[in-house]
Amino acid sequence: MDFNWTDDERRFRDRVRAFLHRELPSDWAEVARHGPGSAEQTAFSRDFCPRLAAEGLLVPHWPAEWGGQGRPTWEHFILGEEMWAAGEPRGAQYMNVNWIGPTLMRYGSAEQQARYIPAMAAGNAIWCQGFSEPEAGSDLASLRTKAVPDGGGYVIDGQKIWTSYAGLAETCFLLARVPGAGDGKAAIAIFLVPMDTPGIEVRSIPSLIGHGDIHEVFLTGVRVPASARLGAEGEGWSIISYALANERVGIPRYELSSRTLSRMAARLKDEGRFDDPVIRARAGSAAAACEAARMLTYRAVSMRAKGQPAGPEANIARVAVVEADHAVSEFGMDFLPGAYTAGGGNGGADDAAILAHHERAIVAGIAAGAAEIQLDLVARRHLDLPRGAA
Amino acid sequence: MDFDPNDDQRAFLDVLEQMATGPDAAWGHDPDWKRYQWSPALDATLDENGFFDCAAEPDLGPVAGALMVMRLAELPVLVEAAASTLLRPRLAPDLPRPVAVMTGDGPAPFLPVARSVLRLAPDGVSAAVLDLGDVAAAESLFAYPFGQVGTPGAGWQAVDADPDTARDLWRVALAAELAGVLKGGLGAVLEHVRSRRQFGRPLGSFQAVQHRLAGASARIEGGAWMALRAAETGDAADAAQALGWMQASATRIVYDLHQFMGAMGLTLEHPLHRWTYRARWLKSALGGAEANLSLAAARTWGA
């Protein structure tokens, strides 16, 4: 066992940090305040990601034929830690890097690959994921949006909800049910749908988690060609499983939490309050939660780096990551309530960072499926407990 | 980063596993219904085969030592591993074992079966070889043989070691032992809820049970990796954090384990108490969760 970074990994992290230090503007904390899906951050990502690509830091882990350099899994992960901790200047494009691009490489047609992957590798493609529906949140397989075969293509009708990035995305990674193709998961197919296709209407939902991050998407008679379908009709669910497995350890949330906690501790020290044994023990507890999440995530990444499937290990890591995000957020609210009210904090970048962390933290247990789904999976796959009654 | 044991560690763990699943490691209730079951046979086998020296072996190291402490703590029987494996090689390799550890003047675990004792006082480390008559056994609710020592006949010898470093080694050892103890208890409860049926279903099929046990598992495994990292790095903040995390997690886990074992867990005929009453002592060690987490915070950000 070895819990140290190699020299190459350290150098890579330093390079990413130096790039961020050089490229992020002085008002970045304000830009990042409103979340990766905000108009501000999306606009910034359209300028930032091409620069990241030119530096070879957008998709270094992708194969060379798709614009990458075939760099190791750990470098991809370090990149994710640094970007998330910096407030995710890639905006929605982190999804392309982590899972949409790799999923298209594996399952896409030659035409789909040629159409979409180069734009992702160049840092100029905003996608949204059309998964959740009013009747299908964590229970994704019960989705109802229909894609009816019609004249060599499909006509899609239905509704998506809580969709991140939909307001500004060019393309949707959309799940729909093909009638007659079987029941449940077997009928689910994936469509890559340009958001300017007639019949798509997007409404922003005011939310607790940043400007313009959550949407409803209404699909009415949306006509797409058969070439928009990713994989075969019955293959949708296995493709989603592949994509979500990539997403589950995709966001190293503990890194931002850990750094935000350090900001909070520094603020409390400045105010002469860090001698308080209650505050110090709570800070230590939140820090330990971050490190537990870090170690469990690294274990899953370590397996992935060796080509081993990290199923239950990824599930257990996500449970810990959610707990860490909330521990830090609640620590801030308990001991630095002023930071969450105008005029109550120090008015500096710290306030924006603490607010931004809170809005990201409260999503942790919900996004990509409720944390309770992960607990179900840990119980069944890792603890070998019997499946519950239906 | 590599979370897999190296070849030497793997071979070591394989042999350890044979011993940990052998007859000397198996549960059997004590004829006098003692709350612990000291296994001199397993202790002797491990000792004769040099297992307690593993942390000093370059290809095995403190990580192998911490893994061994965890694995042995999972057993329903008791051997003295934490001090012998993670303290003795660094502080006083010539001390006869079993080794008890005192961090204050009161009763301490293992003293009645120990042949030596290490005293980790804030201002210095000392050691004593114990003779018959040095230790008075003490009744305790905790599932260790407890005893008290006054002035050992052979006297205390100063150990040339930094007292803070010694306590941090002990923190790692305690964190590893607590992770193992909770894992052992969790294993027993999992076995129970897989087979025990109520309301026509196995208890373990109820989501209320599943989620709490899955949460316990996440906390134990997170703490186990933190303890292993602390063993490898020797970092003072890592050590306090690993112990504090396991101690803070133990309260809820012990409660849940007993809840899911029901009345069976209140009897001495089932070994659950062997784990939970070790955990209950371990979670109080070196000031308990708040003290260790507070120390970790001070070490991370400055007091």
Side-chain angles (χ1 to χ4, degrees):
Chain A
M1 287 181 190
D2 180 4
F3 304 117
N4 295 298
W5 299 108
T6 64
D7 288 343
D8 280 351
E9 287 161 353
R10 281 204 185 88
R11 273 193 291 275
F12 180 77
R13 188 184 292 277
D14 289 345
R15 195 176 138 220
V16 176
R17 284 188 182 178
F19 180 84
L20 287 167
H21 183 70
R22 197 167 65 236
E23 299 290 335
L24 292 182
S26 55
D27 65 345
W28 168 245
E30 243 343 279
V31 176
R33 161 76 185 81
H34 300 295
S38 64
E40 295 93 328
Q41 212 163 319
T42 302
F44 182 82
S45 84
R46 288 189 193 278
D47 179 51
F48 177 80
C49 287
R51 283 185 276 147
L52 202 56
E55 186 76 13
L57 290 176
L58 185 63
V59 292
H61 59 292
W62 283 14
E65 63 173 309
W66 296 117
Q69 305 143 54
R71 301 298 302 167
T73 302
W74 278 111
E75 285 191 9
H76 171 213
F77 203 72
I78 290 166
L79 183 68
E81 281 192 342
E82 292 299 322
M83 291 294 157
W84 185 253
E88 196 48 274
R90 298 173 299 182
Q93 296 195 57
Y94 83 90
M95 292 198 302
N96 311 349
V97 172
N98 286 354
W99 66 268
I100 301 179
T103 303
L104 262 57
M105 285 171 213
R106 178 152 169 174
Y107 293 101
S109 66
E111 182 201 333
Q112 289 165 341
Q113 290 173 340
R115 178 172 176 183
Y116 294 118
I117 296 178
M120 291 189 211
N124 194 17
I126 310 287
W127 285 65
C128 61
Q129 84 185 36
F131 285 13
S132 293
E133 298 184 1
E135 303 298 329
S138 291
D139 180 13
L140 185 57
S142 68
L143 63 90
R144 295 177 178 179
T145 293
K146 281 191 175 55
V148 179
D150 183 272
Y154 296 86
V155 176
I156 302 173
D157 284 281
Q159 184 191 347
K160 297 290 170 179
I161 195 167
W162 309 306
T163 317
S164 295
Y165 319 119
L168 297 161
E170 295 116 22
T171 321
C172 183
F173 191 99
L174 182 83
L175 307 190
R177 186 173 294 286
V178 179
D183 297 326
K185 294 169 184 173
I188 293 174
I190 298 170
F191 298 90
L192 310 178
V193 182
M195 290 295 285
D196 60 3
T197 309
I200 298 180
E201 188 193 338
V202 177
R203 185 180 79 84
S204 176
I205 304 176
S207 79
L208 299 173
I209 57 167
H211 292 174
D213 207 10
I214 305 185
H215 305 81
E216 281 177 296
V217 180
F218 299 94
L219 303 127
T220 312
V222 176
R223 189 169 289 278
V224 298
S227 61
R229 197 189 63 232
L230 179 67
E233 276 184 1
E235 205 181 6
W237 194 256
S238 61
I239 299 177
I240 299 157
S241 301
Y242 173 82
L244 290 183
N246 273 303
E247 193 184 17
R248 258 182 208 123
V249 289
I251 300 183
R253 293 175 175 274
Y254 55 82
E255 186 66 28
L256 177 65
S257 291
S258 178
R259 293 190 201 183
T260 306
L261 183 62
S262 288
R263 283 175 181 268
M264 293 170 175
R267 173 85 71 90
L268 289 160
K269 279 181 75 177
D270 286 347
E271 294 177 5
R273 297 168 60 202
F274 204 61
D275 291 342
D276 181 331
V278 173
I279 288 180
R280 221 151 68 179
R282 280 282 303 278
S285 174
C290 292
E291 292 311 299
R294 179 190 302 281
M295 295 306 284
L296 289 170
T297 304
Y298 285 179
R299 194 249 310 240
V301 177
S302 169
M303 293 176 73
R304 188 165 290 173
K306 293 181 177 188
Q308 300 161 356
E313 291 78 10
N315 303 134
I316 215 167
R318 179 143 179 255
V319 169
V321 163
V322 171
E323 192 174 343
D325 255 21
H326 282 270
V328 171
S329 178
E330 297 308 321
F331 176 79
M333 290 221 153
D334 288 350
F335 299 111
L336 290 167
Y340 304 86
T341 305
N346 67 4
D350 270 1
D351 286 347
I354 290 170
L355 284 168
H357 172 266
H358 172 76
E359 291 183 2
R360 286 157 170 82
I362 58 172
V363 185
I366 311 290
E372 285 67 25
I373 302 294
Q374 306 296 323
L375 290 170
D376 282 346
L377 294 171
V378 171
R380 285 212 303 276
R381 296 174 173 181
H382 192 56
L383 304 183
D384 196 23
L385 291 176
R387 185 179 279 277
Chain B
M1 297 269 172
D2 187 351
F3 280 55
D4 285 328
N6 66 32
D7 290 345
D8 291 306
Q9 289 167 339
R10 199 180 295 279
F12 169 83
L13 293 170
D14 284 348
V15 181
L16 178 69
E17 193 56 29
Q18 289 172 20
M19 297 182 186
T21 48
D24 295 336
W27 146 256
H29 71 72
D30 184 272
D32 299 326
W33 298 108
K34 277 199 197 111
R35 290 184 166 225
Y36 60 86
Q37 184 186 353
W38 170 245
S39 178
L42 178 60
D43 194 275
T45 309
L46 291 163
D47 201 359
E48 284 157 16
N49 289 286
F51 273 78
F52 296 110
D53 302 321
C54 65
E57 296 285 335
D59 295 327
L60 297 173
V63 167
L67 284 165
M68 174 168 125
V69 170
M70 280 180 205
R71 182 65 187 96
L72 294 174
E74 283 179 49
L75 300 176
V77 301
L78 198 61
V79 292
E80 185 285 295
S84 285
T85 311
L86 292 169
L87 281 186
R88 179 170 163 262
R90 285 285 300 277
L91 301 181
D94 297 329
L95 278 184
R97 63 169 307 285
V99 183
V101 173
M102 294 168 61
T103 55
D105 293 328
F110 291 112
L111 274 171
V113 296
R115 290 171 59 216
S116 66
V117 56
L118 273 165
R119 191 167 61 180
L120 310 181
D123 56 352
V125 180
S126 51
V129 174
L130 296 169
D131 283 328
L132 280 176
D134 282 342
V135 173
E139 286 291 319
S140 175
L141 285 190
F142 299 121
Y144 292 101
F146 262 76
Q148 189 146 17
V149 66
T151 304
W156 291 102
Q157 306 294 319
V159 171
D160 182 21
D162 172 58
D164 289 337
T165 306
R167 285 184 164 236
D168 286 332
L169 289 171
W170 189 225
R171 283 189 174 90
V172 175
L174 291 167
E177 183 168 346
L178 184 47
V181 158
L182 292 172
K183 200 171 165 203
L186 177 64
V189 169
L190 286 170
E191 207 178 301
H192 173 69
V193 300
R194 280 184 205 120
S195 56
R196 167 85 171 158
R197 295 177 72 88
Q198 291 286 275
F199 307 103
R201 300 161 52 179
L203 282 182
S205 69
F206 287 96
Q207 212 172 36
V209 175
Q210 291 189 346
H211 283 194
R212 280 153 68 183
L213 292 176
S217 172
R219 282 193 156 247
I220 295 167
E221 291 194 22
W225 287 114
M226 287 159 78
L228 292 172
R229 179 173 68 175
E232 190 200 65
T233 62
D235 180 82
D238 285 354
Q241 190 173 61
L243 179 57
W245 174 257
M246 280 319 312
Q247 290 177 319
S249 304
T251 302
R252 178 74 206 195
I253 295 172
V254 164
Y255 172 79
D256 282 348
L257 296 183
H258 271 287
Q259 280 305 110
F260 301 146
M261 190 61 78
M264 248 175 262
L266 300 177
T267 72
L268 295 177
E269 292 181 337
H270 188 280
L272 182 61
H273 64 283
R274 296 273 176 84
W275 293 289
T276 55
Y277 278 85
R278 273 185 274 163
R280 282 175 159 143
W281 181 80
L282 289 162
K283 81 190 180 76
S284 75
L286 290 172
E290 282 73 19
N292 286 301
L293 290 170
S294 179
L295 180 64
R299 285 169 168 178
T300 304
W301 293 295

